[in-house]
Amino acid sequence: MEVNFYVLPLYLGLFALAGLMLSRAWRIGKRNRLDLVANWSSVQLENPERYKPIYITINLIGGVLLIALAGLVLLVGLPFATWVSLAAFVFWSYFFAYQFLSWNAKKNAQNEAKAAEEAKKQKA
């Protein structure tokens, strides 16, 4: 077997990214670090307790998929183009899930504020 030293950092990066995702899920779930329930720019979401289980799930799924992909590269011998494409798909899905949740949290906070304001007007 021949080792391509240009591809090796990409392969090892799968483990690093998976470790980051799994440790983030652990810190949010077990250590109750709600400051990590944040958007991509590390700004905490409105009502982080509401989004905590979703963030744990996203990080667990992403980490497990990357570990499984790294295992498949060694066990099955996936071609370079295949495993890099799958890794990119997992990463971009992770990124867009974070973006969507950030957008959803912001929209929900605006809707709740608007509903509270309308309820206040109706009382008066």
Side-chain angles (χ1 to χ4, degrees):
M1 180 164 92
E2 192 175 310
V3 176
N4 185 340
F5 289 104
Y6 296 112
V7 175
L8 189 60
L10 289 175
Y11 180 72
L12 295 176
L14 290 178
F15 291 104
L17 192 56
L20 178 72
M21 290 177 184
L22 293 173
S23 72
R24 192 176 190 110
W26 173 263
R27 288 181 287 164
I28 293 171
K30 287 293 184 180
R31 307 252 173 159
N32 204 27
R33 294 268 314 269
L34 293 179
D35 61 310
L36 295 175
V37 180
N39 65 8
W40 196 256
S41 302
S42 297
V43 177
Q44 187 176 12
L45 300 183
E46 301 281 334
N47 193 5
E49 192 67 42
R50 177 181 186 178
Y51 296 97
K52 178 181 168 182
I54 301 170
Y55 269 75
I56 293 169
T57 304
I58 289 171
N59 282 291
L60 278 175
I61 289 172
V64 168
L65 284 176
L66 289 177
I67 293 291
L69 181 61
L72 284 174
V73 168
L74 291 179
L75 294 174
V76 179
L78 288 177
F80 174 74
T82 303
W83 69 263
V84 168
S85 299
L86 289 172
F89 176 74
V90 170
F91 173 75
W92 284 109
S93 298
Y94 179 78
F95 174 76
F96 285 123
Y98 262 62
Q99 292 296 93
F100 178 76
L101 286 173
S102 172
W103 171 80
N104 191 20
K106 191 180 295 183
K107 185 172 174 106
N108 284 341
Q110 289 173 351
N111 288 343
E112 289 169 2
K114 194 180 292 184
E117 186 178 309
E118 287 177 11
K120 191 183 243 186
K121 283 182 182 178
Q122 288 178 356
K123 284 185 179 180

